[in-house]
Structures are given as C-alpha cells and as structure tokens.
Coordinates of all heavy atoms in Angstrom, one line a residue:
M70 N 9.6 -7.3 -18.7 CA 8.5 -6.4 -19.2 C 9.1 -5.1 -19.7 O 10.1 -4.6 -19.2 CB 7.5 -6.2 -18.1 CG 6.6 -7.3 -17.7 SD 5.0 -6.8 -17.0 CE 5.5 -6.1 -15.5
S71 N 8.4 -4.6 -20.7 CA 8.8 -3.2 -21.2 C 8.5 -2.2 -20.2 O 7.7 -2.4 -19.3 CB 8.1 -3.0 -22.5 OG 6.7 -2.7 -22.3
D72 N 9.0 -1.0 -20.4 CA 8.7 0.1 -19.5 C 7.2 0.4 -19.5 O 6.7 0.7 -18.4 CB 9.5 1.4 -20.0 CG 11.0 1.4 -19.6 OD1 11.4 0.5 -18.9 OD2 11.7 2.3 -20.1
L73 N 6.6 0.4 -20.6 CA 5.2 0.7 -20.7 C 4.3 -0.3 -20.0 O 3.4 0.0 -19.3 CB 4.8 0.9 -22.2 CG 3.4 1.5 -22.4 CD1 3.2 2.8 -21.7 CD2 3.1 1.7 -23.9
E74 N 4.7 -1.6 -20.2 CA 4.0 -2.6 -19.5 C 4.1 -2.5 -18.0 O 3.1 -2.6 -17.2 CB 4.5 -4.0 -19.9 CG 4.0 -4.4 -21.3 CD 4.7 -5.7 -21.8 OE1 5.9 -5.9 -21.4 OE2 4.1 -6.4 -22.6
T75 N 5.3 -2.2 -17.5 CA 5.6 -1.9 -16.1 C 4.7 -0.8 -15.6 O 4.1 -0.8 -14.5 CB 7.1 -1.6 -15.8 OG1 7.8 -2.7 -16.4 CG2 7.4 -1.5 -14.4
C76 N 4.6 0.3 -16.4 CA 3.9 1.4 -16.1 C 2.4 1.1 -15.9 O 1.7 1.6 -15.0 CB 4.1 2.5 -17.2 SG 3.1 3.9 -17.0
L77 N 1.8 0.3 -16.8 CA 0.4 -0.1 -16.7 C 0.2 -0.9 -15.4 O -0.8 -0.7 -14.7 CB 0.0 -1.0 -17.9 CG 0.1 -0.3 -19.3 CD1 -0.4 -1.2 -20.4 CD2 -0.7 1.0 -19.4
G78 N 1.1 -1.8 -15.1 CA 1.1 -2.5 -13.9 C 1.1 -1.6 -12.7 O 0.3 -1.8 -11.7
T79 N 1.9 -0.6 -12.7 CA 2.0 0.4 -11.6 C 0.6 1.1 -11.4 O 0.2 1.3 -10.3 CB 3.1 1.4 -11.9 OG1 4.3 0.7 -12.1 CG2 3.3 2.4 -10.7
I80 N 0.0 1.5 -12.5 CA -1.3 2.2 -12.5 C -2.3 1.2 -11.8 O -3.0 1.7 -10.8 CB -1.8 2.6 -13.9 CG1 -0.9 3.7 -14.4 CG2 -3.3 3.1 -13.8 CD1 -1.2 4.0 -15.9
I81 N -2.4 0.0 -12.2 CA -3.3 -1.0 -11.6 C -3.0 -1.2 -10.1 O -3.9 -1.1 -9.2 CB -3.3 -2.3 -12.4 CG1 -3.8 -2.1 -13.8 CG2 -4.2 -3.4 -11.7 CD1 -3.6 -3.2 -14.8
D82 N -1.7 -1.4 -9.8 CA -1.3 -1.7 -8.4 C -1.7 -0.5 -7.5 O -2.1 -0.6 -6.4 CB 0.2 -1.9 -8.3 CG 0.6 -3.3 -8.8 OD1 -0.3 -4.1 -8.9 OD2 1.8 -3.5 -8.9
T83 N -1.4 0.7 -8.0 CA -1.7 1.9 -7.3 C -3.1 2.1 -7.0 O -3.5 2.4 -5.8 CB -1.1 3.2 -8.0 OG1 0.3 3.0 -8.3 CG2 -1.3 4.4 -7.2
F84 N -4.0 1.8 -8.0 CA -5.4 1.9 -7.8 C -5.9 1.0 -6.7 O -6.6 1.3 -5.8 CB -6.2 1.6 -9.1 CG -7.7 1.7 -9.0 CD1 -8.4 2.8 -9.1 CD2 -8.4 0.5 -8.8 CE1 -9.7 2.9 -8.9 CE2 -9.8 0.5 -8.6 CZ -10.4 1.7 -8.7
H85 N -5.4 -0.3 -6.8 CA -5.8 -1.3 -5.8 C -5.3 -1.0 -4.4 O -5.9 -1.3 -3.4 CB -5.4 -2.7 -6.3 CG -6.2 -3.2 -7.4 ND1 -5.8 -4.2 -8.2 CD2 -7.4 -2.9 -7.8 CE1 -6.8 -4.5 -9.1 NE2 -7.8 -3.6 -8.9
K86 N -4.1 -0.5 -4.3 CA -3.5 -0.1 -3.0 C -4.4 0.8 -2.2 O -4.6 0.6 -1.0 CB -2.1 0.6 -3.3 CG -1.4 1.0 -2.0 CD -0.1 1.7 -2.4 CE 0.4 2.6 -1.3 NZ 1.5 3.5 -1.8
Y87 N -5.1 1.7 -2.9 CA -6.0 2.6 -2.2 C -7.4 2.1 -2.2 O -8.1 2.3 -1.2 CB -5.9 4.0 -2.9 CG -4.6 4.7 -2.7 CD1 -3.6 4.5 -3.5 CD2 -4.4 5.5 -1.5 CE1 -2.3 5.1 -3.3 CE2 -3.2 6.1 -1.3 CZ -2.1 5.9 -2.2 OH -0.9 6.5 -1.9
S88 N -7.9 1.4 -3.3 CA -9.3 1.0 -3.4 C -9.6 -0.1 -2.4 O -10.7 -0.3 -2.0 CB -9.6 0.6 -4.8 OG -9.0 -0.6 -5.1
S89 N -8.5 -0.9 -2.0 CA -8.8 -2.0 -1.1 C -8.8 -1.7 0.4 O -8.9 -2.6 1.2 CB -7.7 -3.1 -1.4 OG -6.4 -2.6 -1.1
K90 N -8.5 -0.4 0.7 CA -8.5 0.0 2.1 C -9.8 -0.2 2.8 O -9.8 -0.7 3.9 CB -8.0 1.4 2.2 CG -6.5 1.6 2.0 CD -6.1 3.0 2.2 CE -4.5 3.1 2.0 NZ -4.1 4.5 2.3
E91 N -10.9 0.3 2.2 CA -12.2 0.2 2.9 C -13.3 -0.1 1.9 O -13.1 0.2 0.7 CB -12.6 1.6 3.4 CG -11.8 2.1 4.6 CD -12.2 3.5 5.0 OE1 -13.3 3.7 5.3 OE2 -11.3 4.4 4.9
G92 N -14.4 -0.7 2.3 CA -15.5 -1.0 1.5 C -15.2 -1.8 0.3 O -14.4 -2.7 0.3
D93 N -15.9 -1.4 -0.9 CA -15.7 -2.1 -2.1 C -14.2 -2.1 -2.5 O -13.6 -1.1 -2.6 CB -16.5 -1.5 -3.2 CG -16.6 -2.3 -4.5 OD1 -15.6 -3.0 -4.8 OD2 -17.7 -2.4 -5.1
K94 N -13.6 -3.3 -2.7 CA -12.2 -3.5 -3.0 C -11.8 -2.8 -4.3 O -10.6 -2.5 -4.5 CB -11.8 -4.9 -3.0 CG -11.4 -5.5 -1.7 CD -11.2 -7.0 -1.7 CE -10.0 -7.5 -2.5 NZ -9.8 -8.9 -2.4
Y95 N -12.7 -2.8 -5.2 CA -12.4 -2.3 -6.6 C -12.9 -0.9 -6.9 O -13.0 -0.5 -8.0 CB -12.9 -3.3 -7.6 CG -12.2 -4.7 -7.3 CD1 -13.0 -5.7 -6.8 CD2 -10.9 -4.9 -7.6 CE1 -12.4 -7.0 -6.5 CE2 -10.3 -6.1 -7.3 CZ -11.0 -7.1 -6.8 OH -10.4 -8.4 -6.5
K96 N -13.3 -0.2 -5.8 CA -13.7 1.2 -6.0 C -13.1 2.1 -5.0 O -12.9 1.7 -3.8 CB -15.3 1.3 -5.9 CG -16.0 0.8 -7.1 CD -17.5 0.9 -6.9 CE -18.3 0.3 -8.1 NZ -19.7 0.5 -7.8
L97 N -12.8 3.3 -5.4 CA -12.3 4.3 -4.4 C -13.4 5.1 -3.9 O -14.2 5.8 -4.6 CB -11.4 5.3 -5.2 CG -10.1 4.7 -5.8 CD1 -9.5 5.7 -6.8 CD2 -9.0 4.4 -4.7
K98 N -13.6 5.0 -2.5 CA -14.6 5.9 -1.9 C -13.9 7.3 -1.8 O -12.7 7.4 -2.0 CB -15.2 5.4 -0.6 CG -14.1 5.1 0.4 CD -14.7 4.3 1.5 CE -15.5 5.2 2.5 NZ -16.0 4.4 3.7
K99 N -14.7 8.3 -1.4 CA -14.1 9.6 -1.4 C -12.8 9.8 -0.6 O -11.9 10.4 -1.1 CB -15.2 10.6 -0.8 CG -15.1 12.0 -1.4 CD -16.3 12.8 -0.9 CE -15.9 14.3 -1.0 NZ -16.9 15.1 -0.4
S100 N -12.8 9.2 0.6 CA -11.6 9.3 1.4 C -10.4 8.6 0.8 O -9.2 9.1 0.9 CB -11.8 8.8 2.8 OG -12.3 7.4 2.8
E101 N -10.6 7.5 0.1 CA -9.6 6.7 -0.5 C -9.0 7.5 -1.8 O -7.8 7.6 -2.0 CB -10.0 5.3 -1.0 CG -10.3 4.4 0.1 CD -11.1 3.1 -0.3 OE1 -11.8 3.2 -1.3 OE2 -10.9 2.1 0.3
L102 N -10.0 8.1 -2.5 CA -9.6 8.9 -3.7 C -8.8 10.1 -3.2 O -7.7 10.4 -3.8 CB -10.8 9.3 -4.4 CG -10.6 10.2 -5.6 CD1 -9.7 9.6 -6.7 CD2 -11.9 10.7 -6.3
K103 N -9.2 10.7 -2.2 CA -8.4 11.9 -1.6 C -7.0 11.5 -1.2 O -6.1 12.2 -1.5 CB -9.2 12.5 -0.5 CG -8.7 13.9 -0.1 CD -9.4 14.5 1.0 CE -8.7 15.8 1.3 NZ -9.3 16.4 2.6
D104 N -6.9 10.3 -0.5 CA -5.6 9.8 -0.1 C -4.7 9.5 -1.3 O -3.6 9.9 -1.3 CB -5.9 8.4 0.5 CG -5.5 8.4 2.0 OD1 -5.4 9.5 2.6 OD2 -5.3 7.3 2.5
L105 N -5.3 8.9 -2.4 CA -4.5 8.6 -3.6 C -4.0 9.9 -4.2 O -2.9 10.0 -4.6 CB -5.4 7.8 -4.6 CG -4.7 7.3 -5.8 CD1 -5.5 6.0 -6.3 CD2 -4.7 8.3 -6.9
L106 N -5.0 10.9 -4.4 CA -4.6 12.1 -5.1 C -3.5 12.8 -4.3 O -2.5 13.4 -4.9 CB -5.8 13.0 -5.2 CG -6.9 12.5 -6.2 CD1 -8.1 13.5 -6.2 CD2 -6.4 12.4 -7.6
T107 N -3.6 12.9 -3.0 CA -2.7 13.6 -2.1 C -1.3 12.9 -2.2 O -0.3 13.6 -2.3 CB -3.2 13.6 -0.6 OG1 -4.5 14.0 -0.6 CG2 -2.3 14.5 0.2
H108 N -1.3 11.6 -2.1 CA 0.0 10.9 -2.1 C 0.7 10.7 -3.4 O 1.9 10.7 -3.6 CB -0.1 9.6 -1.3 CG -0.4 9.8 0.2 ND1 -1.6 9.6 0.7 CD2 0.4 10.2 1.2 CE1 -1.5 9.9 2.0 NE2 -0.3 10.3 2.3
E109 N -0.2 10.4 -4.4 CA 0.4 10.0 -5.7 C 0.5 11.2 -6.7 O 1.1 11.1 -7.7 CB -0.4 8.9 -6.3 CG -0.6 7.7 -5.4 CD 0.7 7.0 -5.0 OE1 1.7 7.1 -5.8 OE2 0.7 6.3 -4.0
F110 N -0.3 12.3 -6.4 CA -0.2 13.5 -7.3 C 0.1 14.7 -6.4 O -0.7 15.7 -6.4 CB -1.5 13.7 -8.1 CG -1.8 12.6 -9.1 CD1 -2.6 11.5 -8.8 CD2 -1.2 12.7 -10.4 CE1 -2.8 10.5 -9.8 CE2 -1.4 11.8 -11.3 CZ -2.2 10.7 -11.0
P111 N 1.2 14.7 -5.7 CA 1.5 15.8 -4.8 C 1.6 17.2 -5.5 O 1.1 18.2 -4.9 CB 2.8 15.4 -4.1 CG 3.4 14.4 -5.0 CD 2.2 13.7 -5.6
T112 N 2.2 17.1 -6.7 CA 2.3 18.4 -7.4 C 1.0 19.0 -7.8 O 0.8 20.2 -7.7 CB 3.2 18.2 -8.7 OG1 4.3 17.3 -8.4 CG2 3.7 19.5 -9.2
L113 N 0.1 18.1 -8.2 CA -1.3 18.6 -8.6 C -2.1 19.0 -7.4 O -2.7 20.1 -7.4 CB -2.0 17.4 -9.3 CG -3.4 17.7 -9.8 CD1 -3.4 18.5 -11.1 CD2 -4.2 16.4 -10.0
T114 N -2.1 18.2 -6.3 CA -2.9 18.6 -5.2 C -2.4 19.8 -4.4 O -3.1 20.5 -3.7 CB -3.1 17.4 -4.3 OG1 -1.9 16.7 -4.0 CG2 -4.1 16.4 -4.8
E115 N -1.1 20.1 -4.6 CA -0.5 21.3 -4.0 C -1.2 22.5 -4.5 O -1.4 23.5 -3.9 CB 1.0 21.4 -4.3 CG 1.8 21.4 -3.1 CD 3.3 21.2 -3.4 OE1 3.8 22.0 -4.3 OE2 3.9 20.3 -2.9
Q116 N -1.6 22.4 -5.8 CA -2.3 23.6 -6.5 C -3.7 23.7 -6.0 O -4.3 24.8 -6.1 CB -2.3 23.4 -8.0 CG -1.0 22.9 -8.7 CD 0.0 24.0 -8.7 OE1 -0.3 25.1 -8.9 NE2 1.3 23.6 -8.4
V117 N -4.3 22.6 -5.5 CA -5.7 22.6 -5.1 C -5.7 22.9 -3.6 O -5.6 22.0 -2.8 CB -6.4 21.3 -5.4 CG1 -7.8 21.4 -5.0 CG2 -6.2 21.0 -6.9
K118 N -5.8 24.2 -3.2 CA -5.7 24.5 -1.8 C -7.0 24.4 -1.1 O -7.0 24.0 0.1 CB -5.2 26.0 -1.7 CG -3.9 26.3 -2.3 CD -2.7 25.9 -1.3 CE -1.4 26.3 -1.9 NZ -0.4 25.2 -1.9
D119 N -8.1 24.6 -1.7 CA -9.4 24.6 -1.0 C -10.2 23.3 -1.2 O -10.1 22.7 -2.2 CB -10.2 25.8 -1.3 CG -10.6 25.9 -2.8 OD1 -9.7 25.8 -3.6 OD2 -11.8 26.0 -3.1
Q120 N -10.9 23.0 -0.2 CA -11.7 21.7 -0.2 C -12.8 21.7 -1.3 O -13.0 20.7 -1.9 CB -12.4 21.6 1.2 CG -13.0 20.2 1.4 CD -12.1 19.0 1.2 OE1 -10.9 19.0 1.7 NE2 -12.5 18.0 0.5
A121 N -13.4 22.9 -1.6 CA -14.4 22.9 -2.6 C -13.9 22.5 -4.0 O -14.6 21.8 -4.7 CB -15.0 24.4 -2.7
T122 N -12.7 22.9 -4.3 CA -12.1 22.6 -5.6 C -11.8 21.1 -5.6 O -12.0 20.4 -6.6 CB -10.8 23.4 -5.8 OG1 -11.0 24.7 -5.6 CG2 -10.3 23.2 -7.2
M123 N -11.3 20.6 -4.5 CA -11.0 19.1 -4.4 C -12.3 18.3 -4.5 O -12.3 17.4 -5.3 CB -10.4 18.9 -3.0 CG -9.9 17.5 -2.8 SD -8.5 17.1 -3.9 CE -7.5 16.1 -2.9
D124 N -13.4 18.8 -3.8 CA -14.7 18.1 -3.9 C -15.2 18.1 -5.4 O -15.7 17.1 -5.9 CB -15.7 18.8 -3.1 CG -15.5 18.5 -1.6 OD1 -14.8 17.5 -1.3 OD2 -16.1 19.2 -0.7
S125 N -15.1 19.2 -6.1 CA -15.6 19.3 -7.4 C -14.8 18.5 -8.4 O -15.3 17.9 -9.3 CB -15.8 20.7 -7.9 OG -14.6 21.2 -8.4
L126 N -13.5 18.4 -8.1 CA -12.6 17.5 -8.9 C -13.1 16.0 -8.7 O -13.3 15.3 -9.7 CB -11.1 17.6 -8.5 CG -10.2 16.5 -9.1 CD1 -10.0 16.7 -10.6 CD2 -8.8 16.6 -8.4
M127 N -13.3 15.6 -7.5 CA -13.7 14.3 -7.2 C -15.1 14.0 -7.8 O -15.3 12.9 -8.3 CB -13.6 14.0 -5.7 CG -12.2 14.1 -5.2 SD -11.8 13.3 -3.6 CE -12.6 14.4 -2.5
E128 N -16.0 15.0 -7.7 CA -17.3 14.8 -8.2 C -17.3 14.6 -9.8 O -18.0 13.8 -10.3 CB -18.2 15.9 -7.9 CG -19.0 15.7 -6.6 CD -19.6 17.0 -6.0 OE1 -20.1 17.8 -6.9 OE2 -19.6 17.2 -4.8
S129 N -16.4 15.4 -10.4 CA -16.3 15.3 -11.9 C -15.8 14.0 -12.4 O -16.1 13.6 -13.5 CB -15.5 16.5 -12.4 OG -14.1 16.3 -12.0
L130 N -15.1 13.3 -11.5 CA -14.6 12.0 -11.9 C -15.6 10.9 -11.8 O -15.6 9.9 -12.5 CB -13.4 11.5 -11.0 CG -12.1 12.4 -11.0 CD1 -11.1 11.8 -10.1 CD2 -11.6 12.5 -12.4
D131 N -16.6 11.1 -11.0 CA -17.7 10.1 -10.7 C -18.8 10.2 -11.8 O -19.9 10.7 -11.5 CB -18.2 10.4 -9.3 CG -19.3 9.4 -8.9 OD1 -19.3 8.3 -9.5 OD2 -20.1 9.7 -8.1
T132 N -18.5 9.7 -13.0 CA -19.4 9.9 -14.1 C -20.7 9.1 -13.9 O -21.8 9.5 -14.4 CB -18.8 9.6 -15.4 OG1 -18.1 8.4 -15.3 CG2 -17.8 10.7 -15.9
D133 N -20.7 8.0 -13.2 CA -21.9 7.2 -13.0 C -22.7 7.6 -11.8 O -23.8 7.0 -11.5 CB -21.7 5.7 -13.1 CG -20.8 5.2 -11.9 OD1 -20.5 6.0 -11.1 OD2 -20.6 4.0 -11.9
G134 N -22.1 8.5 -11.0 CA -22.9 9.1 -9.9 C -23.1 8.2 -8.7 O -24.1 8.4 -7.9
D135 N -22.3 7.2 -8.5 CA -22.5 6.3 -7.4 C -21.6 6.7 -6.1 O -21.5 5.9 -5.2 CB -22.2 4.8 -7.8 CG -20.7 4.5 -8.0 OD1 -19.9 5.5 -8.1 OD2 -20.4 3.3 -8.1
S136 N -21.1 7.9 -6.2 CA -20.3 8.4 -5.1 C -18.9 7.7 -4.9 O -18.3 7.9 -3.9 CB -21.0 8.5 -3.8 OG -22.2 9.3 -4.0
E137 N -18.6 6.8 -5.8 CA -17.3 6.2 -5.7 C -16.6 6.2 -7.1 O -17.2 6.5 -8.1 CB -17.5 4.7 -5.3 CG -18.1 4.5 -3.9 CD -17.9 3.1 -3.4 OE1 -18.7 2.3 -3.7 OE2 -16.9 2.9 -2.6
C138 N -15.3 6.1 -7.0 CA -14.5 6.1 -8.3 C -14.0 4.7 -8.7 O -13.2 4.2 -8.0 CB -13.3 7.1 -8.1 SG -12.3 7.3 -9.5
D139 N -14.6 4.2 -9.7 CA -14.2 2.9 -10.1 C -13.0 3.0 -11.1 O -12.5 4.1 -11.4 CB -15.3 2.1 -10.8 CG -15.9 2.8 -12.0 OD1 -15.2 3.5 -12.7 OD2 -17.1 2.5 -12.3
F140 N -12.4 1.8 -11.5 CA -11.2 1.8 -12.2 C -11.3 2.6 -13.6 O -10.4 3.3 -14.0 CB -10.7 0.4 -12.5 CG -9.3 0.4 -13.1 CD1 -8.2 0.8 -12.3 CD2 -9.1 0.0 -14.4 CE1 -6.9 0.8 -12.8 CE2 -7.8 0.0 -14.9 CZ -6.7 0.4 -14.2
Q141 N -12.5 2.4 -14.2 CA -12.7 3.1 -15.5 C -12.7 4.6 -15.3 O -12.1 5.4 -16.1 CB -14.0 2.6 -16.1 CG -14.1 3.0 -17.6 CD -15.4 2.4 -18.2 OE1 -15.8 1.2 -17.8 NE2 -15.9 3.0 -19.1
E142 N -13.4 5.1 -14.2 CA -13.4 6.5 -13.9 C -12.0 7.0 -13.6 O -11.6 8.1 -13.9 CB -14.4 6.8 -12.8 CG -15.8 6.6 -13.2 CD -16.8 6.5 -12.0 OE1 -16.4 6.3 -10.9 OE2 -18.0 6.6 -12.3
F143 N -11.2 6.2 -12.9 CA -9.9 6.5 -12.5 C -9.0 6.7 -13.8 O -8.2 7.6 -13.9 CB -9.3 5.5 -11.6 CG -7.9 5.6 -11.2 CD1 -7.4 6.7 -10.4 CD2 -6.9 4.7 -11.6 CE1 -6.1 6.9 -10.1 CE2 -5.6 4.9 -11.3 CZ -5.2 5.9 -10.5
M144 N -9.2 5.7 -14.7 CA -8.4 5.8 -15.9 C -8.7 7.0 -16.8 O -7.8 7.5 -17.5 CB -8.6 4.5 -16.8 CG -7.9 3.3 -16.3 SD -6.1 3.6 -15.9 CE -5.5 3.9 -17.6
T145 N -10.0 7.5 -16.7 CA -10.3 8.7 -17.4 C -9.5 9.8 -16.9 O -9.0 10.7 -17.6 CB -11.8 9.0 -17.3 OG1 -12.6 7.9 -17.7 CG2 -12.2 10.2 -18.1
F146 N -9.3 9.9 -15.5 CA -8.5 10.9 -14.9 C -7.1 10.8 -15.3 O -6.4 11.8 -15.7 CB -8.7 10.7 -13.4 CG -7.8 11.7 -12.6 CD1 -8.0 13.0 -12.6 CD2 -6.8 11.1 -11.8 CE1 -7.2 13.9 -11.9 CE2 -5.9 12.0 -11.1 CZ -6.1 13.3 -11.1
I147 N -6.5 9.5 -15.3 CA -5.1 9.3 -15.7 C -4.9 9.8 -17.1 O -3.9 10.4 -17.4 CB -4.7 7.8 -15.5 CG1 -4.8 7.3 -14.1 CG2 -3.4 7.5 -16.1 CD1 -3.7 7.9 -13.2
T148 N -5.9 9.4 -18.0 CA -5.8 9.9 -19.4 C -5.7 11.4 -19.5 O -4.9 12.0 -20.2 CB -7.0 9.3 -20.2 OG1 -7.0 7.9 -20.0 CG2 -6.8 9.6 -21.7
M149 N -6.6 12.0 -18.8 CA -6.7 13.5 -18.8 C -5.4 14.1 -18.4 O -4.9 15.0 -19.0 CB -7.8 14.0 -17.9 CG -9.1 14.3 -18.5 SD -10.4 14.5 -17.2 CE -9.6 15.2 -15.8
V150 N -4.9 13.7 -17.2 CA -3.6 14.2 -16.7 C -2.5 13.9 -17.6 O -1.6 14.8 -17.9 CB -3.3 13.6 -15.3 CG1 -2.0 14.0 -14.8 CG2 -4.4 14.0 -14.3
T151 N -2.4 12.7 -18.2 CA -1.4 12.4 -19.1 C -1.4 13.3 -20.4 O -0.3 13.8 -20.9 CB -1.4 10.9 -19.5 OG1 -1.5 10.1 -18.3 CG2 -0.2 10.5 -20.3
I152 N -2.6 13.5 -20.9 CA -2.7 14.4 -22.1 C -2.3 15.8 -21.8 O -1.5 16.4 -22.5 CB -4.2 14.4 -22.7 CG1 -4.5 13.0 -23.3 CG2 -4.4 15.4 -23.7 CD1 -5.9 12.8 -23.6
C153 N -2.6 16.3 -20.6 CA -2.2 17.6 -20.2 C -0.7 17.7 -20.1 O -0.1 18.7 -20.5 CB -2.8 18.0 -18.8 SG -4.6 18.4 -18.9
C154 N -0.1 16.7 -19.5 CA 1.4 16.7 -19.4 C 2.0 16.6 -20.8 O 3.0 17.4 -21.0 CB 1.9 15.4 -18.6 SG 1.5 15.4 -16.9
H155 N 1.5 15.9 -21.7 CA 2.0 15.8 -23.0 C 1.9 17.1 -23.7 O 2.9 17.6 -24.3 CB 1.2 14.7 -23.8 CG 1.7 14.6 -25.2 ND1 1.0 15.0 -26.3 CD2 2.9 14.1 -25.7 CE1 1.7 14.7 -27.4 NE2 2.8 14.2 -27.1
E156 N 0.8 17.8 -23.6 CA 0.6 19.1 -24.2 C 1.6 20.1 -23.6 O 2.2 20.9 -24.3 CB -0.8 19.7 -24.0 CG -1.8 19.0 -25.0 CD -3.2 19.4 -24.7 OE1 -3.5 20.2 -23.8 OE2 -4.1 18.8 -25.4
F157 N 1.8 20.0 -22.3 CA 2.8 20.9 -21.6 C 4.2 20.7 -22.2 O 4.8 21.7 -22.6 CB 2.8 20.6 -20.1 CG 3.8 21.4 -19.3 CD1 3.5 22.7 -18.9 CD2 5.1 20.9 -19.0 CE1 4.4 23.4 -18.2 CE2 6.0 21.6 -18.3 CZ 5.7 22.9 -17.9
F158 N 4.6 19.4 -22.3 CA 6.0 19.2 -22.8 C 6.1 19.6 -24.3 O 7.1 20.0 -24.8 CB 6.4 17.7 -22.6 CG 6.6 17.4 -21.1 CD1 5.9 16.5 -20.4 CD2 7.6 18.2 -20.5 CE1 6.2 16.3 -19.1 CE2 7.9 17.9 -19.1 CZ 7.2 17.0 -18.4
E159 N 5.0 19.4 -25.1 CA 5.0 19.7 -26.5 C 5.3 21.2 -26.6 O 6.1 21.6 -27.5 CB 3.6 19.4 -27.0 CG 3.6 18.8 -28.4 CD 2.2 18.4 -28.8 OE1 1.2 18.9 -28.2 OE2 2.1 17.5 -29.7
H160 N 4.6 22.0 -25.8 CA 4.8 23.5 -25.9 C 6.2 23.9 -25.5 O 6.7 24.9 -26.0 CB 3.7 24.2 -25.1 CG 2.3 24.0 -25.7 ND1 2.1 24.4 -27.0 CD2 1.2 23.5 -25.3 CE1 0.8 24.1 -27.3 NE2 0.2 23.6 -26.3
H161 N 6.7 23.2 -24.5 CA 8.0 23.6 -24.0 C 9.2 23.1 -24.8 O 10.3 23.6 -24.6 CB 8.1 23.2 -22.5 CG 7.3 24.1 -21.6 ND1 7.8 25.0 -20.8 CD2 6.0 24.1 -21.5 CE1 6.9 25.7 -20.2 NE2 5.7 25.2 -20.6
E162 N 8.9 22.1 -25.6 CA 10.0 21.6 -26.5 C 10.3 22.7 -27.6 O 11.5 22.8 -28.0 CB 9.5 20.4 -27.3 CG 10.1 19.1 -26.6 CD 9.4 17.8 -27.3 OE1 9.0 17.9 -28.4 OE2 9.4 16.8 -26.6
D163 N 9.3 23.5 -27.9 CA 9.6 24.5 -29.0 C 10.4 25.7 -28.5 O 11.0 26.4 -29.3 CB 8.2 25.1 -29.5 CG 7.3 24.0 -30.0 OD1 7.8 22.9 -30.4 OD2 6.0 24.2 -30.0
E164 N 10.5 25.8 -27.2 CA 11.3 27.0 -26.6 C 12.8 26.8 -26.6 O 13.3 25.7 -26.6 CB 10.7 27.3 -25.2 CG 9.4 28.0 -25.3 CD 8.7 28.0 -24.0 OE1 9.3 27.7 -22.9 OE2 7.4 28.2 -24.0
Ligands
CA326 CA1 -18.5 6.1 -9.8

C-alpha cells in the first residue's frame, strides 16, 4: 500500500479503536472522543487547558446534534486540522 493508503487505514483504525469501547461501535460518545483527542492529538489538547473549551470543541463537531461523534463528523475534524497544518507549513516555508 502507498503511504497515503496506509494513512487512510490508520485514520479508520484509530476511529474504531476508540468508538468501539462503549455503546455504539461506530460512534464516539463524549468520553471516547475526549480519550481520542487526548491520546492522539496531545499537542492540540495541551493547548486546551479548560474543560469549557474542550466541551465547546466537542459540541462543534457534533453537527447532527445526537451527542455522539460519528465517522463523518470525525473526518470533518481531521480535514480541519489537516488544512490548518498545511497552512502553517505553507507560511513557514516562505521564511
Ligand atoms: Ca453526531
């Protein structure tokens, strides 16, 4: 498999690793989402010190309002973070 294919597999595996812990196997409930963000995005969650910010981040991901984060909602988050990283590197390449 190519690097990118492997990467897509990693995204799916990582989602399932956390979503299958409790309740609906294919959705992240709040505690699972928090676990995933803490362990898989340590650099990002280090910036989020207070619970209110964490709550509002998790609420903003839940676009259908069912209090859980499904794969599509998770991918929206991955896309957002990836675009931000790309913009960051774009600006820093010029320096
Ligand atoms: Ca949802």
Side-chain angles (χ1 to χ4, degrees):
M70 286 209 292
S71 72
D72 284 350
L73 189 56
E74 285 170 329
T75 306
C76 172
L77 298 181
T79 304
I80 293 175
I81 295 169
D82 283 349
T83 305
F84 179 83
H85 285 160
K86 178 178 157 193
Y87 291 90
S88 71
S89 61
K90 284 185 177 179
E91 288 175 64
D93 192 322
K94 271 171 70 173
Y95 302 106
K96 284 180 183 178
L97 296 162
K98 58 192 283 187
K99 209 174 159 186
S100 57
E101 292 170 328
L102 177 59
K103 195 181 175 186
D104 245 20
L105 186 154
L106 294 175
T107 310
H108 292 105
E109 308 298 336
F110 292 95
T112 318
L113 178 79
T114 44
E115 237 168 56
Q116 315 289 319
V117 183
K118 299 274 184 232
D119 62 306
Q120 189 57 45
T122 311
M123 189 63 143
D124 283 345
S125 81
L126 168 68
M127 295 198 287
E128 270 167 37
S129 68
L130 298 181
D131 181 24
T132 46
D133 67 0
D135 69 349
S136 302
E137 297 196 276
C138 181
D139 59 27
F140 189 68
Q141 197 172 326
E142 291 165 344
F143 176 67
M144 282 313 292
T145 305
F146 173 68
I147 295 290
T148 305
M149 261 164 36
V150 173
T151 311
I152 291 172
C153 287
C154 288
H155 180 249
E156 280 173 4
F157 178 83
F158 289 120
E159 223 175 20
H160 292 301
H161 285 256
E162 261 172 26
D163 303 336
E164 286 165 16

